[in-house]
Structure formats: C-alpha cells, structure tokens
Amino acid sequence: MIRRAAFWAALGLAGVAACGGPKDVTPANPLPRPADAVPAPPIVLDQFGYRPDDPKIVRIRQPVAGFDTAWASQPRMTYYVRDAKTEEPVRTFTLDADVKAPIDALSGDHVWALDISKVTAPGEYVVTSGDGAQVSATFRVDAGVYKPPMREAFRTFYYQRAGFAKSAPQAGAGWTDAASHLGPGQDGEARLFSAPDDAGTARDLRGGWYDAGDYNQYTNWTADQCRTLLISYTENPDAWGDDFGIPESGNGVPDVLDEAKWGLDWLLRMQGKDGSVLSVLGRDSGSPPSAAKGPSRYGPASTSATLSAAGTFAFAALVYRDSPAPGHAAYAERLQAAALSAWRWAETNPAVLFYNNDARSKSEGLGAGQQEVEPEYLNGKRYAAAAYLSVLTGDEAFLPVMDAAFAETSMLRSGQLDAYRYEVQDAALFVARQAASPPELRAYLADLYTARLSPEAAPGYGVPVDVLHWGSNGVMATTGTLYLQAGRLSAEAGLAAPYAARALDYLHYLHGANPMGKAYLTNMGAFGADSSVGTYYRTWRTDVPIPGFVVGGPNPGYDWDACCPESCGNETLNAACLGERLSPPYGQPPLKSYREFGDGWPLNSWQVSENSNGYQAAYLRLLANFVE
C-alpha cells in the first residue's frame, strides 16, 4: 500500500521555510522563491479525526480546473477504511463513481462524498482505494479527538501576549522570549500618535495581544475576541478546563477566563477617566518581539471603540459575576462600572470617528488594518452594548435604545444573516434567551436562521459561504457557528443534529477536508495532522512555527503589490516580485487560492497566510462546541 509520506516525497515536497517579515517596505525579499504548491491527494478528510457518533464524510476529488489538474485521477469503485497500524481493512465502502459528480464551482473539482460514518470504534485509521493507489491522511476516531487541536489553538493567545515573557515550560523550546514593548517610550508610556513629543499624553497601555502577524492592537477587534472567547465558554463550559498549559493553568479557574481577562485588562487600560476608550495602539516590530525597541503610539478615542468596549465589558461582567473563583465578583463590579462609563460617553459623543493609518485622520503609519466601522456596524455596536447592559443592570432605561437600534439593523430590516454581523446576531440571540424576552423575538430568529440556512448537506466540500476573500478561514469558522445556532433555535423541530452536521462540515474543512488537503493550523504534525501549515506570514520568525495558529486561508482576491514587476523603486526591489505572479494563489479557483509562503512586501503573502486573533477566536468557538 502507498503510504501518505511516499505521496509527498514523490512530489518533492520542500522542507519548512523560515517565516516572513513585517508588513513594511523592505530593501529586498527576505525569502527565496516560495516552494511550488503541492497538490492535495485524491482523498481528503479531517486529519485530526472524528468523534465516534458524528457523521464522517470523506471527499474523493478529481481536479478539472486549477494548478493541480496534472495530478488528477479517476475515483475508484471500492474504498477501504484500514487500521492504520496493521493496514487490515475494517470496513469496505462502495462509491458510485460512474455517476459523474458535478464540478464544484468553488474548487474546480469533481467531488464525491464517501460516507464512512459506520466506523465508530475508537482507533487510528486510513482510507485507501481498493487498488491502494489512493491514500488519505491518517485519522483518529475518539470522543476526545478535538482536544489536542483546541489546546494548541487556544495557547496561541498566550504567545500573542504583549509585555509578557514566554518562558519554559509553557513556551517550549525555540519559542521563548522576554517580555516585549516595555522599554522607554513603549507600552508603559505610550504617547498620542499626533503628539509624539508631548510627554503629557503618555499612557500606561501595557498588556493585551498582538492582533495578527505584526504587533499592533485594535480596541474594536480585541473587544470582539474577548467576547467571542467568553461566549464560547458559556456555550460549552465543560470544554474549558484549567489544563491548557498557560502560566495560569492549575489555579482553579478555567483557562479561558484567565486568558480573556488578559485582553480585558488591556481594554480597561485603554479607557480614560471620562469613560472614552482609545481606538488603537501601534507597536514597533522586531524578531523576536522583545527585540522591538521603537516607541508605541496610540490613536484617540472613538465612538465605535467605546461602544465595543462597553458591550464587551457588560457581557464579561455577566460571565465573571457568575464565576465562583475568588476575586471574580469584584472584577465583575469593575467591569460593570467601566461598561456604564463607556456607555455614557458614547451616548454623549455618538459620532466620533478615527481612521487609523489613513489620510482622513492624518494617521498614516499608525497600525495596519482599518478598525473604524461604517454606520450600520456602529448601530450594531450600540444595540449589543444596550442589550448586555439591560440584562446586567436590570435597568429598563436601556430597552428603548436597544429596540430602536435593533429596528435599524439589517438583521431586522432585510433579514440579513451572515458571518460579518456576528455582534448583532449574538446579542439578539442573547436577548432571546432571557426569561423576560418576548417570545416573538425567538420565533423571528428561528424563522430567520432556518430560512437562511439549510440543514441539507451542500455539494462539493460542503462549505457554502457568502463570499471568499482575505481571512476566509475566519468566515468559514463563523459560518459553521451560524449553523450551530440554527440547530439550537430549531431543536424542537428535530433539526439540531442535521444543523450540527453542517457545522461539522466547516470544522472538517478547516482540518483538511478541502481541495488543498491542508489543515489550516500551523505545525500540527505532533497533534494529529499529516499536512498542516509549515510556512506563514509572521513578524516573529522562528525556526519551526509555533503550533496552532489559524492562517487566513484561500483568497481569490490575492495579488502582488501594485508596484510589481517594474515600479518598486530599483532593480533589487523589482526582482523581489519574482517576475511573475505566484499561482497559486493568483488566478486559481477560489478554494485553491492559497499557498504556503511568508514573503512580505511586495509579494504580500499576508493576504493568504497571516494569522489573526479574529480567525483564532472564531475557530475556537466553533471547535469548542464539539469538545467533550
């Protein structure tokens, strides 16, 4: 039988390359030409495995469009599930390969669904064609199969902590570092971006998490991440133990509450005495992070940042108020006071905007991603903050504001439901669960979710999304969670299990059941994945990638910088363009618009291969629902 390792070796798979550089203009491309893209095998599946009683759908693929068509092979009529150690068949499955599967528009593949759900005995397995020519990754069947990837994915927040030493034993060999951004002029005494020479603007903004592959941090997004982690805890508390290997492990508190507090404490430092909350903190780059010695600069307060913090503080106060851990009751009171103070400022200042790294606010160079929001999303933040505050305080004065804001949401006005308006959607579901909530709201939500989301299996790789773009893996994870919510809303109709199966399709996609045959987490070979991410975009370059980071994923909008191939400043910089666009990710079917590379400007690999705490939190929320 052909082993999977032999499959990769036959294609000449290159070794793991060093990680890419910061998102800035560098004098030359720091990496050699990225290795050629490696096609997925004909059989793709969840490389971590399946719980015994869950549906197990293996995808048999035959490419007809994209870079991998030269490796296409015909599906077989017979497939075996074999014991991975003995290679003995444990079950035989037939596939009606004579019926041509339609071409999946997202991938350019014919895709057949092979249902191996009858394999329920715990063990380690591999799927092969009857003639042994087609071989899958190995996978486990076990009730606790998703705990290892959850542990490593959660630990990435620890590695993203600013101002905190990554020490043995938690950090592991090769990933230790001293506390970063604590020198003169850095986070402990950050200054206003527009007044860098004014010592009177210095603020203590220590802590928090690096947002993505660089070290900047944004209030709107940190608030989202804290709230998502806490919602994940409330959805399945049993998934969150005190043993994830972070410094606080073993203190008697679920580690997710400890990690979320690290982010919340930074948000509290970003709040001024008047209740306003600063919008963004820009940090210097270096590898490792402690090598960054440049100053830290912050952007002014904005209405969106303040409302984001108000809603997250209020929700967090509810969570910590119910925690029996010592000190959490007092912390909840502090969060409630901060939420009310932020709310009052936002109501008095309803339209204060700040665009970072943008000429509109004269802030070019502060941060990277744009954190300011459009009016619809600002209204959604107002609704969410009022909703959580109304339940937290019991004050009915929040209800008229909440109702007026909800009436203006696209969720109510046009029945919009998607992976982007999660702040409003989560708040509406939260309100609907309250005992005093009108039953009409729950009925409306149940009708909306079941009308927009079908419990029936989708063709192809089973992961329909509204659109694919930069950060598609975050969209996939959030869409999977939407299906779980639909199942909960329709449980009385007996649809909880079918909707959970659809949510699992998205999880399996992220774990390798995709046309790239890639588990979209970094360095997970020791935790069950045959083919995980080995090269990704990251300012902190390590010889071996830190495990567990979720990368952005396929992006059909990827392109090199507009200066390429001839206008990047000089011949050396032009040469960094490599003379032609890398394909993939360029010019491929949407789900094949991915490549393992970490090059910075001008190839801009961050469009597909950068990590983000936003993707991370969304993935953990979906995954935790299936961890026992």
Side-chain angles (χ1 to χ4, degrees):
M1 186 174 72
I2 299 177
R3 282 294 189 186
R4 183 78 185 281
F7 175 84
W8 296 119
L11 294 171
L13 178 62
V16 174
C19 296
K23 283 187 281 193
D24 57 13
V25 176
T26 52
N29 190 347
L31 293 176
R33 181 181 177 88
D36 289 338
V38 178
I43 308 172
V44 293
L45 43 67
D46 190 318
Q47 295 174 25
F48 298 110
Y50 304 87
R51 300 185 305 178
D53 296 329
D54 283 342
K56 306 171 187 68
I57 307 299
V58 174
R59 310 288 173 178
I60 310 298
R61 57 186 298 272
Q62 181 186 18
V64 294
F67 75 98
D68 54 349
T69 55
W71 288 272
S73 61
Q74 292 286 340
R76 306 306 199 254
M77 301 294 292
T78 302
Y79 286 87
Y80 296 127
V81 175
R82 298 178 183 270
D83 183 291
K85 295 180 180 178
T86 66
E87 301 186 7
E88 291 299 316
V90 296
R91 272 197 177 271
T92 305
F93 297 89
T94 58
L95 184 72
D96 192 356
D98 288 338
V99 177
K100 202 68 170 178
I103 298 175
D104 174 41
L106 288 177
S107 64
D109 292 349
H110 292 298
V111 185
W112 289 263
L114 183 67
D115 189 344
I116 63 167
S117 301
K118 291 182 179 179
V119 179
T120 59
E124 191 172 76
Y125 302 96
V126 64
V127 178
T128 75
S129 57
D131 59 4
Q134 298 180 354
V135 187
S136 77
T138 56
F139 65 95
R140 288 173 55 220
V141 172
D142 188 86
V145 73
Y146 298 131
K147 191 60 183 276
M150 181 178 170
R151 182 181 189 273
E152 298 311 310
F154 175 70
R155 280 169 43 79
T156 63
F157 279 91
Y158 156 68
Y159 286 108
Q160 293 287 85
R161 291 185 188 183
F164 192 94
K166 285 77 178 179
S167 307
Q170 289 87 8
W175 305 313
T176 59
D177 188 30
S180 70
H181 300 92
L182 294 182
Q186 294 190 303
D187 288 4
E189 46 192 35
R191 295 187 184 184
L192 182 65
F193 181 80
S194 60
D197 298 326
D198 184 356
T201 68
R203 293 277 298 271
D204 179 4
L205 304 178
R206 291 169 296 125
W209 302 299
Y210 316 135
D211 177 71
D214 55 29
Y215 304 143
N216 302 308
Q217 190 163 5
Y218 311 84
T219 296
N220 280 326
W221 302 340
T222 298
D224 284 346
Q225 294 148 19
C226 290
R227 190 179 60 257
T228 301
L229 289 175
L230 293 173
I231 290 174
S232 177
Y233 170 70
T234 64
E235 288 176 338
N236 188 11
D238 291 342
W240 295 100
D242 187 25
D243 57 351
F244 282 77
I246 64 173
E248 295 83 2
S249 294
N251 66 356
V253 176
D255 284 347
V256 67
L257 298 185
D258 288 320
E259 195 62 58
K261 186 176 183 298
W262 180 262
L264 290 165
D265 287 347
W266 180 81
L267 289 173
L268 289 168
R269 292 191 185 98
M270 292 287 279
Q271 186 172 37
K273 294 179 180 179
D274 61 355
S276 66
V277 181
L278 301 175
S279 54
V280 57
L281 177 63
R283 297 187 177 102
D284 187 36
S285 292
S287 183
S290 63
K293 303 300 182 184
S296 299
R297 299 285 185 254
Y298 63 83
S302 68
T303 305
S304 64
T306 304
L307 283 174
S308 290
T312 293
F313 287 154
F315 183 79
L318 288 162
V319 175
Y320 287 94
R321 187 174 68 183
D322 292 340
S323 168
H328 279 186
Y331 190 58
E333 291 180 3
R334 182 185 176 193
L335 290 168
Q336 178 171 331
L340 289 167
S341 180
W343 175 262
R344 288 190 291 267
W345 186 91
E347 286 296 277
T348 306
N349 301 272
V352 178
L353 302 173
F354 178 72
Y355 295 94
N356 65 286
N357 197 25
D358 195 297
R360 285 174 289 182
S361 296
K362 299 180 180 179
S363 60
E364 296 94 327
L366 177 59
Q370 180 51 255
Q371 49 75 49
E372 191 53 273
V373 301
E374 299 304 316
E376 178 195 352
Y377 288 89
L378 185 64
N379 176 69
K381 292 179 182 298
R382 181 169 283 107
Y383 167 71
Y388 296 130
L389 279 165
S390 70
V391 175
L392 175 65
T393 65
D395 188 346
E396 294 185 355
F398 289 104
L399 297 179
V401 182
M402 182 183 76
D403 290 342
F406 190 55
E408 293 300 314
T409 63
S410 60
M411 188 180 194
L412 189 63
R413 297 183 70 178
S414 59
Q416 185 78 34
L417 185 70
D418 56 34
Y420 309 96
R421 293 164 176 83
Y422 49 82
E423 197 163 6
V424 167
Q425 293 159 184
D426 284 336
L429 290 167
F430 172 82
V431 171
R433 289 194 297 270
Q434 305 308 310
S437 178
E440 293 82 2
L441 175 60
R442 181 179 175 86
Y444 173 78
L445 294 175
D447 289 344
L448 174 61
Y449 275 75
T450 53
R452 296 289 185 180
L453 302 169
S454 170
E456 300 299 321
Y461 292 89
V463 287
V465 291
D466 293 319
V467 64
L468 280 166
H469 48 59
W470 188 337
S472 66
N473 284 341
V475 175
M476 290 289 183
T478 303
T479 304
T481 297
L482 288 177
Y483 280 89
L484 282 175
Q485 293 164 339
R488 292 180 182 122
L489 287 166
S490 59
E492 293 179 0
L495 293 175
Y499 274 116
R502 302 290 72 75
L504 279 166
D505 287 338
Y506 289 85
L507 188 65
H508 299 326
Y509 167 89
L510 292 167
H511 288 173
N514 58 62
M516 303 301 290
K518 183 69 60 178
Y520 283 121
L521 286 82
T522 57
N523 192 19
M524 295 297 289
F527 308 100
D530 275 22
S531 177
S532 57
V533 175
T535 304
Y536 69 126
Y537 176 80
R538 184 103 174 112
T539 299
W540 184 4
R541 305 176 191 178
T542 54
D543 292 336
V544 177
I546 295 169
F549 280 106
V550 177
V551 295
N555 176 12
Y558 167 81
D559 202 354
W560 59 13
D561 193 87
C563 74
C564 287
E566 298 177 347
S567 304
C568 295
N570 56 51
E571 292 184 3
T572 300
L573 296 177
N574 291 340
C577 298
L578 305 180
E580 61 183 8
R581 288 178 168 90
L582 290 173
S583 181
Y586 184 81
Q588 294 292 310
L591 290 182
K592 293 177 184 173
S593 301
Y594 177 80
R595 190 189 199 99
E596 287 213 13
F597 68 125
D599 299 57
W601 183 87
L603 291 184
N604 300 355
S605 71
W606 51 74
Q607 297 174 44
V608 297
S609 69
E610 185 179 21
N611 65 284
S612 161
N613 289 345
Y615 318 149
Q616 207 76 28
Y619 167 75
L620 283 166
R621 181 179 179 183
L622 174 62
L623 178 64
N625 276 282
F626 298 102
V627 170
E628 299 178 11

